[in-house]
């Protein structure tokens, strides 16, 4: 794990690494003035400012500076969060601006007071009503229960129910998406997001068994099957295009709407944030799909010569360029070597290795094509008149 800010000033470093046996961080969350770390063993550590009780240590750290002025202590060394989650195995965490929320193996623990406190709504005897995963926005919390139904609490819009004057004091369903099975959720400054099976997919199974990975969610005869997903978003007073509805479309939406520009893009996540909604921006982690999206940046710095041999062998030796990083490779320098330029998208070994190990690898080449032209003028895929240009949805 790489961090910056106050943790760099710690005297104890990462305490989970010094435990016996050594633990490791698997997820982090960041609020406005504090951070959380979730470890593989299910422990939660917090550090930063606890002025709103968001560190879960039972205190705010308030002290008198001088002349009646007060300040708040900064906890620079990560501390183990206890309270109601002491001895529990936590499986998910999320941070709002000044609050945090966590789910254990039984589902249903929330930290919106000085110490972690059980949320009765998600800790009953009926297991299907317990929490499955969580998300936190600046002033709201989201819990997806084991039926994969979306429920929200707090302030999530600027007028009407759910606003400052009428916040949701208990977790409530959002009527427009009650029939959707949630695969991933996220909340930003004023925006809210979810990934759900595509309701326009005619081939979707009637009763799918879901995995934790959106896009690989239907089980057919014991085998995971890729199905189509759709991205849904909404947010009142979103003025910066962060909902991504596209040119000429409304910038804000009071009710959940399908994000059409993302149709055909496989947005995924396995213990990572596949949609990261910020204060005024939104980031997506996406696997290659059928949709064409603008690449940003349009050009990336890359080597001019083959990454393996670092030689220019002339036009007689075919080169491939990675769809993601644009690095060139001679066909004979690959392991195993290729005899012909593959058809469709091709990703270099480095980029394939960077992709997570839960099935999210770029598709391997299957059929040979006539080849095309690379950035340095050498033949590569996708540049012949009869061939289809390669597509990339990274960026």
């Amino acid at each position: 794990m790489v961090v910056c800010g106050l943790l760099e000033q710690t005297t104890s470093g990462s305490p989970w690494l010094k435990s016996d046996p050594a633990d490791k961080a698997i997820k982090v969350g960041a609020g406005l003035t504090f951070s959380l770390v979730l470890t593989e063993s299910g422990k939660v550590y917090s550090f930063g400012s606890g002025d709103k009780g968001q560190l879960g240590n039972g205190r705010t750290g308030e002290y008198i500076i001088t002349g009646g002025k007060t300040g708040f202590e900064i906890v620079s060394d990560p501390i183990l969060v206890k309270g109601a989650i002491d001895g529990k195995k936590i499986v998910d965490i999320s941070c709002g601006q000044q609050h945090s929320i966590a789910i254990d193996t039984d589902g249903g623990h929330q930290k919106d007071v000085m110490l972690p406190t059980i949320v009765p709504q998600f800790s009953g005897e009926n297991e299907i009503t317990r929490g499955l995963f969580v998300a936190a926005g600046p002033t709201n919390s989201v819990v997806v229960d084991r039926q994969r139904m979306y429920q929200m609490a707090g302030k999530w819009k600027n007028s009407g129910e759910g606003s400052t004057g009428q916040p949701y004091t208990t977790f409530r369903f959002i009527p427009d998406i009650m029939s959707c099975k949630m695969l991933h959720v996220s909340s930003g400054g004023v925006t809210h997001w979810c990934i759900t099976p595509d309701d326009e997919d005619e081939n979707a199974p009637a009763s799918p068994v879901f995995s934790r990975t959106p896009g690989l969610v239907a089980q057919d005869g014991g085998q995971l099957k890729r199905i189509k997903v759709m991205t849904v978003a909404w947010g009142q007073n979103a003025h910066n295009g962060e909902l991504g509805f596209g040119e000429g479309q409304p910038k804000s939406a009071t009710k959940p709407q399908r994000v059409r520009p993302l149709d055909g893009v496989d947005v995924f996540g396995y213990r990572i944030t596949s949609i990261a909604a910020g204060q005024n921006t939104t980031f997506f982690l996406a696997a290659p799909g059928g949709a064409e999206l603008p690449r940003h940046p349009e050009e990336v710095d890359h080597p001019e010569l083959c990454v393996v041999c670092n030689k220019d062998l002339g036009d007689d030796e075919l080169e491939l360029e990675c769809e993601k990083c644009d690095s060139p490779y001679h066909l004979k320098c690959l392991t195993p070597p290729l005899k012909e330029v593959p058809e469709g998208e091709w990703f270099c070994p480095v980029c394939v290795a960077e992709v997570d190990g839960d099935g999210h690898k770029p598709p391997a080449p299957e059929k040979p094509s006539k080849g095309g032209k690379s950035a340095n003028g050498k033949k590569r895929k996708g540049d012949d008149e009869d061939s289809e240009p390669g597509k990339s949805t990274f960026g």
Side-chain angles (χ1 to χ4, degrees):
M1 183 182 73
V2 179
V3 296
C4 58
L6 287 173
L7 191 56
E8 289 185 337
Q9 305 169 13
T10 66
T11 56
S12 63
S14 303
W16 49 89
L17 296 177
K18 300 180 180 180
S19 61
D20 188 18
D23 210 351
K24 66 179 181 179
I26 60 171
K27 187 173 184 179
V28 296
L32 195 62
T33 58
F34 74 104
S35 300
L36 296 182
V37 175
L38 174 63
T39 70
E40 191 173 42
S41 67
K43 294 182 173 62
V44 178
Y45 293 83
S46 63
F47 56 97
S49 173
D51 58 314
K52 306 294 184 183
Q54 62 269 42
L55 296 184
N57 61 354
R59 54 196 300 267
T60 63
E62 184 177 9
Y63 64 93
I64 302 296
I65 300 176
T66 182
K69 295 182 179 180
T70 60
F72 295 91
E73 295 177 356
I74 301 297
V75 178
S76 55
D77 291 331
I79 56 174
L80 181 64
V81 180
K82 296 183 178 181
I85 66 173
D86 192 20
K88 302 283 187 179
K89 183 175 181 178
I90 302 302
V91 295
D92 199 10
I93 58 172
S94 189
C95 297
Q97 283 188 347
Q98 301 288 11
H99 76 287
S100 48
I101 185 169
I103 287 284
D104 69 6
T105 51
D106 293 326
H109 296 282
Q110 181 189 24
K111 298 192 301 168
D112 57 359
V113 288
M114 295 296 181
L115 286 170
T117 303
I118 293 175
V119 180
Q121 188 172 344
F122 300 105
S123 56
E125 294 183 0
N126 190 351
E127 288 194 9
I128 65 171
T129 64
R130 295 178 183 176
L132 181 62
F133 50 90
V134 295
T139 54
N140 71 287
S141 298
V142 176
V143 174
V144 174
D145 65 23
R146 295 184 182 181
Q147 302 173 89
R148 294 188 176 267
M149 297 187 71
Y150 184 107
Q151 299 184 54
M152 184 187 288
K155 174 187 176 294
W156 59 276
K157 59 181 182 177
N158 296 318
S159 61
E161 282 194 322
S163 64
T164 302
Q166 300 172 286
Y168 286 4
T169 55
T170 59
F171 284 88
R172 301 188 194 181
F173 296 109
I174 304 298
D176 296 274
I177 53 175
M178 283 184 65
S179 62
C180 297
K181 299 296 184 182
M182 297 296 120
L183 307 177
H184 176 79
V185 295
S186 182
S187 288
V190 296
T191 60
H192 311 282
W193 300 81
C194 63
I195 301 176
T196 180
D198 190 343
D199 59 5
E200 298 176 0
D201 184 5
E202 297 178 354
N203 297 318
S207 301
V209 178
F210 295 99
S211 76
R212 288 183 174 180
T213 307
L216 290 171
V217 295
Q219 200 166 17
D220 183 10
Q223 298 296 320
L224 286 176
K225 175 184 176 183
R226 185 174 297 276
I227 65 171
K228 294 180 180 179
V229 298
M230 64 177 179
T231 305
V232 177
W234 67 100
Q236 196 174 30
N237 287 357
H239 298 302
N240 303 290
E242 57 265 51
L243 287 176
F245 290 144
E247 292 292 335
Q249 300 300 314
K251 291 185 177 181
S252 66
T254 56
K255 293 184 177 182
Q257 296 185 25
R258 181 175 184 142
V259 184
R260 289 288 178 183
L262 289 176
D263 283 357
V265 178
D266 183 13
V267 181
F268 64 84
Y270 182 77
R271 286 289 146 216
I272 57 175
T273 304
S274 55
I275 299 179
Q279 184 66 33
N280 298 300
T281 56
T282 310
F283 288 88
F284 302 88
L285 190 59
E292 290 189 58
L293 292 177
R295 174 174 171 166
H296 180 79
E298 291 186 4
E299 299 292 337
V300 295
D301 291 332
H302 61 87
E304 293 296 327
L305 300 177
C306 173
V307 173
V308 179
C309 68
N310 197 35
K311 295 179 180 179
D312 183 355
L313 301 180
D315 294 340
D316 294 334
E317 184 60 41
L318 297 179
E319 267 187 2
L320 276 174
E321 279 186 348
C322 176
E323 294 284 354
K324 182 181 178 184
C325 69
D326 285 351
S327 295
Y329 289 78
H330 290 126
L331 270 64
K332 70 175 186 179
C333 292
L334 293 168
T335 306
L338 295 179
K339 294 181 179 180
E340 297 180 280
V341 176
E343 185 179 59
E345 296 176 322
W346 179 83
F347 297 87
C348 71
V350 175
C351 290
V352 169
E354 290 176 351
V355 182
D356 72 84
D358 192 45
H360 293 118
K361 292 187 177 181
E366 296 180 354
K367 300 178 181 178
S369 70
K370 297 179 180 178
K373 193 175 182 181
S374 69
N376 60 2
K378 296 177 183 176
K379 294 189 73 178
R380 60 157 290 175
K381 65 181 185 306
D383 200 52
D384 283 349
E385 292 181 0
D386 297 333
S387 64
E388 183 182 359
K391 299 174 183 178
S392 175
T393 56
F394 284 92

